[in-house]
């Protein structure tokens, strides 16, 4: 969740006049943080996860599920719970949190009034106990949240509500579509969190853009889907706001599900992981090395096949959110010649990474985006302030954007002890990785946020993906792994990840050889050298690789063509490894090599093996992604007419099934076994 502040927000016309002012002050605040914290050291890597829930209202008598708009009431009840208060409290937005004994998880508001965010009460370490405590803590969060809801309300971890914006009633209480902030045909303003930041953000994106946001998701063409498909929910005769002309000017595309409001994107749930590095060098390295993994994990966690009461022909949420917050003007989009705006911007402010930021010797200039847009004046100021060129380029790229929510009270005095102006822009650049400087006045270090993963139905799955990414970071640092490839190929992979069933049908650009040219020890790592035959015996490829190269990988040619360093691989190849001479070793075998090097006890290794086996079997296609399971559930439902429509009855039965799977997790019955397998057989 972005920066939450209070004050008098400026409407876009006034905000635009002050945009340069806020940018300049934001850079000065960044430089102040840089000077204070560039030498900051921490003892060990810490990390945290963020799980987001939809709060749904289930009416069994009417066989109907709606979104509950009681976020504020639920958070207030959590904050007032005397037993939770005795344990230190769990709602930072409403109470002072105190650490008393076993720390409670914390709960936070989100963009949608039907959403909750939950995080651990304190950061996790990388010790095995912490890794194995993640899943129980996620279950505890869900239980605590449910205990403060009405009997017919449930916290559900689905990415989107399948009938958000569909005809009929989809919220409790009901509000008719429309309102001055979103001006949507399909969503009411009342579905937005009423905190002044959120409606202002939605309105200013729309106003800056000069029209409503335009989200078109390809429809899944089934046997009886009308073709060509023209979204039947679109009203072409609406004349309440000037933006109602959008659809008459072609905003709703043929063969697509059309949506027109920020809530369709920012009303989505995800699983995010934030890492605190021991220092800025390690943080920058993690940012770079995790960037190429983003599209891979997006595809592997795919869970978003339904929108606005229809079945989509895509599997993930990313581009839909990107379009939902795309504030680019016609000039910035290249639809009109540049006259008032400074440049044509190729991506939405919610997009894939465009920069690498490390000073790592593995980073070749050819990996960088040759067409990267930067504000040269800002870059010059950062370099004058003694920031190095790669990091100055990164922030000068982020700051090509305008600040979207400006509070009048913040324009009086520049406070270098605060970061409000910097965060104004930093927090509204939603790339698939985020590099986060230490906040002023807190004992927190340099952090890296891993943002692409889709939320999963069960706490077991969410814990598995969270723990897996943590272990990958340990392998990266311990073995000095190198996943660099051209950043533009990472962007290509993000697009590929949207393909239906991409895990099995698509190939992704990925680096062929991740090993360093020589054995090395990384400062702050376990000191393990590159995996060799004895370490990596868990995968058949490792033996041939070690024998063929004397226990180390073949060195990449530092002066050879970059194109020789990567190739297109399946998700199975990337996760499980290529079973051929000189092939990619696989992320799971690399993690297993790391675990071999740190003396994990048998019981803990068996528990971690359940997580790794879920990842392996999802990558191989033996287990389904959530998206495949949900699409199959809809298409095999007796009420489904083969026309790509998700009816009220299908929606109800889907949520009942999802809730049942959340409880059983593949242990008590057959429901969801295609995704989870027989839990006892995962090891």
């Amino acid at each position: 969740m972005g920066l939450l502040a209070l004050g008098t927000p400026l409407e876009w016309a006034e905000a635009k006049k002050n945009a340069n002012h806020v940018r300049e002050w934001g850079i000065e605040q960044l430089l102040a943080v840089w000077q204070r914290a560039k030498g900051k050291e921490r003892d060990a890597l810490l990390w945290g996860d963020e799980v987001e829930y939809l709060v749904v209202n289930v009416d069994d008598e009417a066989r109907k599920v709606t979104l509950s708009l009681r976020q504020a009431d639920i958070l207030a009840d959590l904050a007032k719970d005397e037993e939770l208060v005795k344990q230190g409290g769990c709602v930072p937005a409403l109470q002072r949190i105190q650490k008393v004994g076993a720390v409670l998880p914390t709960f936070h508001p989100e963009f949608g009034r039907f959403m909750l965010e939950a995080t651990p009460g304190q950061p996790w370490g990388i010790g095995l106990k912490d890794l194995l405590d993640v899943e129980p803590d996620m279950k505890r969060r869900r239980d605590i949240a449910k205990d403060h809801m009405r009997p017919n309300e449930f916290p559900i971890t689905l990415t989107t509500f399948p009938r958000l914006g569909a005809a009929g009633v989809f919220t409790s209480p009901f509000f008719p579509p429309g309102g001055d902030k979103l001006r949507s045909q399909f969503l009411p303003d009342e579905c937005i969190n009423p905190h002044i930041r959120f409606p202002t953000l939605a309105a200013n994106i729309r106003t800056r853009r000069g029209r409503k946001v335009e989200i078109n998701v390809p429809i899944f063409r089934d046997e009886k889907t009308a073709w060509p498909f023209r979204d039947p929910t679109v009203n072409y005769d609406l004349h309440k706001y000037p933006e109602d002309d959008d659809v008459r000017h072609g905003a709703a595309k043929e063969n697509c599900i059309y949506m027109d409001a920020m809530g369709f994107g920012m009303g989505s749930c995800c699983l995010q992981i934030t890492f605190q590095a021991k220092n800025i060098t390690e943080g920058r390295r993690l940012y770079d090395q995790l960037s190429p993994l983003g599209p891979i994990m997006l595809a592997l966690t795919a869970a978003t096949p339904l929108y606005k009461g229809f079945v989509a022909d895509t599997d993930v949420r990313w581009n839909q959110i990107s379009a939902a917050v795309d504030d680019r003007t016609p000039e910035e989009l290249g639809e009109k010649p540049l006259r008032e705006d400074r440049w044509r911007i190729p991506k939405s402010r919610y997009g894939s990474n465009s920069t690498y930021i490390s000073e790592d010797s593995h980073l070749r200039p050819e990996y960088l985006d040759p067409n990267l847009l930067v504000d040269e004046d800002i870059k010059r100021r950062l370099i004058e302030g003694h920031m190095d060129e790669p990091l100055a380029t990164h922030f000068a790229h982020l700051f090509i954007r305008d600040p979207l929510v400006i509070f009048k009270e913040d324009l009086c005095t520049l406070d270098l002890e605060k970061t409000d102006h910097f965060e104004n822009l930093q927090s509204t650049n939603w790339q698939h990785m985020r590099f986060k400087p230490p906040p002023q006045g807190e004992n927190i270090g340099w952090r890296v946020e891993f943002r692409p993963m889709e939320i999963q139905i069960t706490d077991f799955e969410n814990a598995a993906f969270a723990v897996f990414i943590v272990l990958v970071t340990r392998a990266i640092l311990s073995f000095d792994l190198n996943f660099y490839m051209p950043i533009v190929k990472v962007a290509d992979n993000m697009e590929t990840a949207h393909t239906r069933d991409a895990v099995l049908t698509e190939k992704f650009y990925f680096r062929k050889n991740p090993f360093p040219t020589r054995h090395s020890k990384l400062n702050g790592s376990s000191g393990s050298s590159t995996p060799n035959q004895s370490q990596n015996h868990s995968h058949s490829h490792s033996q041939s690789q070690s024998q063929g190269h004397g226990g180390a990988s073949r060195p990449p040619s530092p002066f050879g063509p970059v194109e020789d360093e990567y190739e297109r691989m399946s998700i199975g190849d990337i996760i499980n490894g290529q079973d051929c001479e000189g092939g990619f070793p696989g992320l799971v075998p690399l993690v297993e090599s790391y675990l071999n090097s740190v003396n994990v006890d048998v019981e803990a290794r068996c528990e971690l093996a359940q997580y790794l086996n879920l990842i392996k079997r999802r990558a191989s296609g033996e287990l389904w992604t959530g998206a495949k399971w949900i699409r199959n559930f809809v298409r095999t439902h007796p009420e489904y007419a083969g026309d790509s429509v998700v009816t009220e009855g299908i929606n109800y039965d889907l949520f009942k099934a999802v809730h049942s799977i959340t409880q059983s997790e593949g242990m008590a019955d057959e429901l969801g076994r295609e995704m989870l397998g027989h839990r006892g057989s995962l090891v």
Side-chain angles (χ1 to χ4, degrees):
M1 182 182 62
L3 177 70
L4 288 186
L6 293 173
T8 307
L10 302 181
E11 293 187 359
W12 179 245
E14 286 301 311
K16 183 178 180 179
K17 296 175 185 176
N18 290 278
N20 284 334
H21 183 62
V22 171
R23 258 192 296 268
E24 290 168 5
W25 279 11
I27 289 301
E28 295 308 313
Q29 289 179 335
L30 172 60
L31 283 172
V33 172
W34 167 256
Q35 294 299 335
R36 284 194 299 263
K38 61 184 177 181
K40 190 178 182 70
E41 294 280 344
R42 301 291 298 174
D43 292 331
L45 180 141
L46 300 174
W47 67 281
D49 66 89
E50 300 175 20
V51 173
E52 294 171 344
Y53 307 94
L54 300 175
V55 181
V56 299
N57 181 83
V58 179
D59 185 338
D60 289 321
E61 186 174 341
R63 286 180 48 81
K64 186 177 180 67
V65 178
T66 52
L67 288 166
S68 171
L69 302 184
R70 293 196 329 106
Q71 176 194 93
D73 296 334
I74 294 166
L75 289 172
D77 288 344
L78 284 162
K80 291 186 293 187
D81 186 312
E82 293 184 1
E83 286 302 313
L84 296 180
V85 171
K86 288 178 184 177
Q87 296 176 61
C90 61
V91 187
L94 299 177
Q95 60 191 157
R96 184 185 179 90
I97 302 296
Q98 299 179 0
K99 295 181 180 179
V100 181
V103 179
L104 289 170
T106 55
F107 295 88
H108 312 269
E110 260 296 344
F111 178 88
R113 284 177 67 188
F114 46 83
M115 301 170 71
L116 286 178
E117 177 188 297
T119 60
Q122 62 185 15
W124 301 113
I126 60 165
L128 290 175
K129 181 182 185 303
D130 281 11
L131 294 180
L132 299 178
D133 282 347
V134 172
E135 184 181 349
D137 190 75
M138 288 182 174
K139 294 181 187 299
R140 186 187 185 201
R141 294 176 224 172
R142 196 188 294 263
D143 289 343
I144 292 173
K146 172 57 186 156
D147 288 345
H148 295 81
M149 296 177 184
R150 292 172 177 169
N152 61 334
E153 290 176 333
F154 299 91
I156 299 293
T157 44
L158 280 183
T159 316
T160 59
F161 185 74
R163 288 185 56 82
L164 178 68
V169 177
F170 54 84
T171 63
S172 297
F174 169 76
F175 294 95
D180 190 53
K181 300 302 182 183
L182 294 177
R183 301 190 179 182
S184 173
Q185 283 200 19
F186 312 109
L187 299 184
D189 279 2
E190 288 83 1
C191 73
I192 307 174
N193 183 325
H195 185 288
I196 194 62
R197 167 183 161 86
F198 296 111
T200 302
L201 186 61
N204 284 357
I205 285 174
R206 173 180 49 75
T207 308
R208 186 187 190 282
R209 178 181 169 85
R211 55 191 169 182
K212 290 188 289 186
V213 297
E214 185 178 305
I215 311 163
N216 284 282
V217 182
I219 189 79
F220 174 74
R221 186 179 184 180
D222 216 332
E223 294 177 0
K224 298 181 181 179
T225 305
W227 208 261
F229 177 84
R230 295 179 178 87
D231 191 330
T233 67
V234 177
N235 183 354
Y236 289 90
D237 296 319
L238 197 62
H239 295 274
K240 186 173 182 180
Y241 297 107
E243 292 90 345
D244 292 332
D245 285 339
D246 290 356
V247 293
R248 290 183 283 276
H249 294 156
K253 307 304 183 189
E254 191 173 84
N255 299 328
C256 288
I257 306 160
Y258 170 69
M259 294 166 281
D260 66 351
M262 184 176 174
F264 284 109
M266 287 302 192
S268 304
C269 299
C270 67
L271 171 67
Q272 293 182 183
I273 311 296
T274 300
F275 301 97
Q276 178 181 263
K278 70 165 283 186
N279 54 35
I280 189 172
T281 300
E282 184 176 271
R284 292 167 71 168
R285 176 160 169 72
L286 285 177
Y287 178 95
D288 282 9
Q289 295 303 323
L290 288 174
S291 287
L293 303 186
I296 310 309
M297 298 309 297
L298 176 62
L300 194 58
T301 57
T304 319
L306 309 179
Y307 279 99
K308 214 182 70 170
F310 297 105
V311 184
D313 201 34
T314 57
D315 271 6
V316 300
R317 77 198 189 286
W318 194 265
N319 281 350
Q320 283 68 269
I321 308 179
S322 177
V325 296
D326 191 351
D327 68 333
R328 289 176 295 170
T329 67
E331 291 183 18
E332 290 169 338
L333 285 164
E335 297 172 353
K336 294 181 179 180
L338 286 173
R339 289 193 177 93
E340 295 185 9
D341 295 310
R342 300 175 66 187
W343 34 52
R344 183 178 180 275
I345 303 177
K347 294 181 184 179
S348 165
R349 60 200 301 151
Y350 196 114
S352 59
N353 285 12
S354 297
T355 56
Y356 289 125
I357 64 174
S358 179
E359 294 184 291
D360 193 323
S361 60
H362 297 313
L363 178 56
R364 296 176 60 175
E366 296 95 323
Y367 302 148
L368 305 178
D369 183 351
N371 300 311
L372 184 73
L373 279 178
V374 298
D375 187 314
E376 294 294 346
D377 291 336
I378 285 176
K379 181 176 177 180
R380 189 178 306 111
R381 175 68 188 105
L382 291 171
I383 291 174
E384 288 172 356
H386 306 293
M387 184 177 287
D388 58 85
E389 205 263 350
L391 203 57
T393 299
H394 169 74
F395 286 115
H397 168 66
L398 298 186
F399 272 58
I400 66 171
R401 310 289 179 173
D402 280 338
L404 291 170
V405 181
I406 299 175
F407 293 105
K408 180 179 178 181
E409 294 80 0
D410 294 337
L411 297 175
C412 299
T413 306
L414 172 60
D415 187 346
L416 294 180
E417 297 299 313
K418 296 170 65 176
T419 57
D420 52 339
H421 297 294
F422 167 71
E423 288 295 344
N424 193 327
L425 283 141
Q426 162 92 340
S427 68
T428 55
N429 270 278
W430 297 282
Q431 297 186 343
H432 80 268
M433 300 289 301
R434 182 178 282 156
F435 186 63
K436 304 174 74 171
Q440 173 65 13
E442 298 185 46
N443 189 27
I444 296 175
W446 295 88
R447 292 151 297 150
V448 173
E449 196 171 81
F450 188 75
R451 302 170 46 81
M453 291 192 292
E454 308 247 291
I455 197 71
Q456 305 294 289
I457 290 175
T458 69
D459 299 311
F460 166 68
E461 295 165 277
N462 287 316
F465 283 107
V467 168
F468 175 64
I469 284 296
V470 173
L471 291 174
V472 168
T473 67
R474 295 297 85 199
I476 288 170
L477 297 178
S478 294
F479 302 143
D480 192 22
L481 299 178
N482 174 13
F483 296 126
Y484 277 126
M485 64 178 182
I487 196 76
V488 294
K489 296 301 182 185
V490 177
D492 289 346
N493 283 348
M494 288 293 282
E495 293 302 312
T496 302
H498 287 74
T499 305
R500 174 165 45 92
D501 216 11
V503 168
L504 293 182
T505 64
E506 295 293 331
K507 292 194 174 183
F508 296 75
Y509 296 105
F510 211 74
R511 189 179 183 88
K512 293 187 283 188
N513 178 17
F515 298 121
T517 57
R518 57 184 172 80
H519 292 270
S520 63
K521 293 185 177 182
L522 204 69
N523 206 10
S525 75
S526 67
S528 303
S529 58
T530 306
N532 57 29
Q533 178 180 350
S534 61
Q535 288 178 309
N536 204 16
H537 60 80
S538 60
H539 186 62
S540 61
H541 161 63
S542 58
Q543 183 171 355
S544 62
Q545 181 169 358
S546 295
Q547 289 175 337
H549 303 293
S553 63
R554 69 179 185 276
S557 172
F559 303 108
V562 166
E563 292 76 15
D564 291 346
E565 297 179 352
Y566 61 88
E567 66 182 18
R568 296 176 74 230
M569 304 181 197
S570 69
I571 295 286
D573 291 339
I574 295 166
I575 297 296
N576 297 324
Q578 295 173 315
D579 193 9
C580 61
E581 180 73 20
F584 183 74
L587 296 178
V588 167
L590 287 169
V591 164
E592 289 173 334
S593 292
Y594 166 73
L595 292 173
N596 289 342
S597 74
V598 293
N599 299 318
V600 181
D601 67 75
V602 174
E603 184 177 352
R605 189 66 181 265
C606 286
E607 291 194 51
L608 292 174
Q610 291 194 69
Y611 296 150
L612 296 181
N613 275 282
L614 175 75
I615 306 295
K616 288 163 67 174
R617 294 170 71 185
R618 284 276 175 92
S620 71
E622 183 181 350
L623 296 179
W624 293 1
T625 63
K628 184 172 183 176
W629 184 87
I630 292 168
R631 184 179 281 106
N632 181 74
F633 183 93
V634 171
R635 295 187 70 206
T636 57
H637 191 280
E639 199 172 303
Y640 182 64
D643 55 359
S644 308
V645 175
V646 182
T647 64
E648 294 272 19
I650 296 173
N651 194 51
Y652 170 81
D653 286 337
L654 174 62
F655 273 91
K656 295 293 283 189
V658 165
H659 179 62
S660 178
I661 293 169
T662 299
Q663 302 300 307
S664 68
E665 296 192 332
M667 290 184 171
D669 53 43
E670 294 297 318
L671 196 59
R673 287 284 171 88
E674 299 94 340
M675 289 185 294
L676 301 170
H678 293 264
R679 287 285 300 280
S681 69
L682 280 177
V683 180

